[in-house]
Amino acid sequence: MLWQDGHQPGFTGSALDREDLIRTDPDRLAAMTSSLSARLLALDGIDPVLDDRGMLGWKSLAEADPDSELIFLGVLDGRPRFTEVRPDLPEGATRSMAIFRVLDLLPPEEASTYAAARSLIDWHVRHGFCAKCGTATAIFRGGWGRNCGACGAEHFPRVDPVVIMLAEYEGRVLVGRQPRYPPRRYSALAGFLEPGESIEEAVARELHEEAGMKTWSVRYIVSQPWPFPSSLMMACIARVEDDALTIDYTELEDAIWVTRDEVVASMNGDPDARFLPPPPYAIAHTLFRRWLDETG
Amino acid sequence: MLWQDGHQPGFTGSALDREDLIRTDPDRLAAMTSSLSARLLALDGIDPVLDDRGMLGWKSLAEADPDSELIFLGVLDGRPRFTEVRPDLPEGATRSMAIFRVLDLLPPEEASTYAAARSLIDWHVRHGFCAKCGTATAIFRGGWGRNCGACGAEHFPRVDPVVIMLAEYEGRVLVGRQPRYPPRRYSALAGFLEPGESIEEAVARELHEEAGMKTWSVRYIVSQPWPFPSSLMMACIARVEDDALTIDYTELEDAIWVTRDEVVASMNGDPDARFLPPPPYAIAHTLFRRWLDETG
């Protein structure tokens, strides 16, 4: 098992075999598309439609919109799996908040399969033109890229790496809240990794920018995909020089140091807890669990 | 220090303060641009020009091409630092191999500053048009993005996460060679992380695709930016189920299991070593050093 500690992150564990060699083999791809066992992910806009067991719904590939671009996700339970980029996907469909209610119910393995589909659909919707020359592009490699007939450029789906971290000092960790969070929720600080940085340097920079901290060391803990639209969340624990804070209020509404007991109360759902924790499908939740294990 | 083990990866350690708040503050950005102490990275095409100490060369900002787009890199040694996206950058300039000879000589801290500049320039050159609507875009945020006057979309520089890993089984590790490598060189296997995957899952998938292996566990070790054009290399060690290999010869020319003694001989430059190691600025080099430390 990839998560020996028993704390499997949200959006991980799909049994999907991506079968990447099929993407570049027109004959095998055609065989997948014409297979009677091929299945199409059931979606409402870009949100999943669950079946009566509370799992991802699938339907016949024949139900795809004839004008859709098809994406070959891979093979799952012996069946080819597809999703579609519908021409009529409404503008703004990717910003619905309904998905977060579904995620409270969906097992991580199911959310993991969905994450790949969602990130790909969103990328296609927002990348229909060649960034190099401005011409309309076409889907290729079974949906895992777009190419330009005018200049020949090939474009591949983005994955945006994000560092998310707990600063640790003398048995306490730093948690912050963004203005858009539900009331009383605090979580780990986070930010996009930039060109020219390592993970370790991005953690140190973010802690400096958002909280004025100096980082001594960074330990990577665990990662997850985050399909809003297509991040890779890399969770770390950073030892910092002291507990003085200089908060960047353009990024954070607040940041506080919390003790192990306070994190335990929060994760246990104690009504008197000092703060509400991140939801179970967020990597910050896994990061808290790991920190509690390490310090327990 | 961020690399307590003493094995600082290539392309890390820049003292550049990115000063991200300046990027979105037109007045402060203008003050940086008009500062008499502002410096422009000296480039030959997209390759660095070194000074007589063998460090990155810098020149007056007044020497920038008046038609260039300027990128504010940050502040280094108290001076604003810029690079430029020249309108006359020749097609294919980003594919010169001369850079690798320079990298053999450049300290990692200098290569780190250069990596940010190179990745940004390359991104601007290949992303002059809006991927959402096809219109020509303009630079904004001091060069850390482009926006579209037609549809309002904002585009940010890509960073492409890559997993690079040693499979480990009973004291040996798996190394492979790609056809484009210099003769006798072997390195860690690697591949791009895809949407919907965690780091741990991408490692397991790549080892399965390229070598037919089943992964038991994945340990993250260390990371580096790799500016060709803009990857984030995430180095891991994976314990695998057995040492049977099914090599994907479309990706690899060869893959072999090597012992600790064979890696030691290779890293020490022993002329009788079984293989030539990756260069010191590559994260695979750091990964070998870390594995030798752990098993020593």
Side-chain angles (χ1 to χ4, degrees), chain A residues 1 4 13 18 20 23 91 127-129 131-132 156-159 194-195 199-201 209 216-217 220 223, chain B residues 1 4 13 18 20 23 127-129 131-132 156-159 161 194-195 199-201 209 216-217 220 223:
Chain A
M1 267 307 299
Q4 293 90 342
R18 293 171 179 237
D20 68 315
R23 299 174 192 166
E91 178 81 14
H127 293 78
F129 293 84
K132 195 167 171 199
F156 298 98
R158 281 180 78 117
V159 175
E194 295 189 344
I199 295 173
E200 293 74 14
E201 291 174 307
E209 287 176 3
W216 282 120
S217 66
Y220 168 89
S223 67
Chain B
M1 268 309 299
Q4 292 92 341
R18 293 171 177 236
D20 68 315
R23 300 173 190 165
H127 294 78
F129 293 84
K132 194 167 172 199
F156 297 98
R158 281 179 79 117
V159 174
E194 296 188 344
I199 294 173
E200 293 74 16
E201 291 174 308
E209 288 176 1
W216 281 123
S217 66
Y220 168 89
S223 68

Side-chain angles (χ1 to χ4, degrees), chain B residues 95-122:
Chain B
R95 291 193 298 272
S96 153
M97 287 292 118
I99 178 65
F100 293 99
R101 291 191 293 274
V102 176
L103 288 175
D104 283 331
L105 307 169
L106 206 58
E109 295 79 7
E110 293 285 289
S112 170
T113 303
Y114 170 69
R118 182 181 177 110
S119 289
L120 286 166
I121 294 168
D122 180 90

Side-chain angles (χ1 to χ4, degrees), chain A residues 63-248:
Chain A
E63 294 182 64
D65 186 311
D67 295 325
S68 282
E69 293 180 313
L70 281 184
I71 300 171
F72 172 63
L73 294 173
V75 174
L76 180 64
D77 297 335
R79 293 175 159 222
R81 305 286 174 154
F82 290 85
T83 191
E84 64 182 318
V85 185
R86 297 177 67 99
D88 60 349
L89 191 69
E91 178 81 14
T94 59
R95 292 193 298 270
S96 154
M97 289 292 117
I99 177 64
F100 293 100
R101 291 191 292 276
V102 176
L103 288 176
D104 283 332
L105 308 169
L106 206 58
E109 295 79 7
E110 293 285 289
S112 170
T113 303
Y114 170 68
R118 182 181 177 110
S119 289
L120 285 167
I121 294 168
D122 179 90
W123 180 77
H124 283 290
V125 166
R126 293 185 299 109
H127 293 78
F129 293 84
C130 178
K132 195 167 171 199
C133 78
T135 306
T137 53
I139 209 160
F140 83 140
R141 289 190 177 221
W144 292 82
R146 304 187 69 87
N147 59 12
C148 177
C151 77
E154 297 184 339
H155 302 281
F156 298 98
R158 281 180 78 117
V159 175
D160 297 310
V162 171
V163 289
I164 178 165
M165 57 269 164
L166 293 174
E168 184 182 37
Y169 184 75
E170 293 190 350
R172 294 179 301 162
V173 291
L174 184 69
V175 297
R177 63 173 271 114
Q178 297 174 16
R180 62 180 177 78
Y181 282 0
R184 297 184 58 227
R185 177 179 293 169
Y186 282 76
S187 186
L189 306 193
F192 286 101
L193 183 139
E194 295 189 344
E197 287 185 319
S198 67
I199 295 173
E200 293 74 14
E201 291 174 307
V203 167
R205 177 182 54 75
E206 285 289 341
L207 287 176
H208 179 71
E209 287 176 3
E210 296 195 2
M213 328 220 77
K214 180 169 165 56
T215 296
W216 282 120
S217 66
V218 175
R219 263 186 314 132
Y220 168 89
I221 303 295
V222 69
S223 67
Q224 76 169 176
W226 183 252
F228 309 106
S230 191
S231 292
L232 169 68
M233 308 299 294
M234 308 179 294
C236 298
I237 296 176
R239 288 186 191 269
V240 294
E241 191 176 70
D242 63 44
D243 58 0
L245 293 178
T246 308
I247 298 172
D248 172 10

Side-chain angles (χ1 to χ4, degrees), chain B residues 165-279:
Chain B
M165 56 268 166
L166 293 174
E168 184 182 36
Y169 184 74
E170 292 190 351
R172 293 179 301 161
V173 290
L174 184 69
V175 296
R177 62 172 274 116
Q178 297 175 16
R180 64 179 176 79
Y181 282 179
R184 300 184 56 226
R185 177 181 292 170
Y186 282 74
S187 187
L189 306 193
F192 286 100
L193 183 141
E194 296 188 344
E197 287 185 318
S198 68
I199 294 173
E200 293 74 16
E201 291 174 308
V203 167
R205 177 182 53 75
E206 286 289 341
L207 287 176
H208 180 70
E209 288 176 1
E210 296 195 1
M213 328 220 77
K214 182 168 163 58
T215 296
W216 281 123
S217 66
V218 175
R219 263 184 316 129
Y220 168 89
I221 303 295
V222 70
S223 68
Q224 75 169 178
W226 183 252
F228 308 107
S230 190
S231 293
L232 170 67
M233 309 299 294
M234 308 180 295
C236 298
I237 295 175
R239 288 187 190 268
V240 294
E241 193 176 69
D242 62 43
D243 58 0
L245 292 178
T246 307
I247 298 173
D248 172 9
Y249 288 106
T250 66
E251 294 282 334
L252 294 175
E253 184 178 285
D254 189 24
I256 54 174
W257 289 99
V258 293
T259 66
R260 186 176 192 285
D261 285 348
E262 287 170 335
V263 174
V264 168
S266 170
M267 295 291 279
N268 285 348
D270 183 334
D272 297 326
R274 189 164 172 211
F275 67 99
L276 291 181

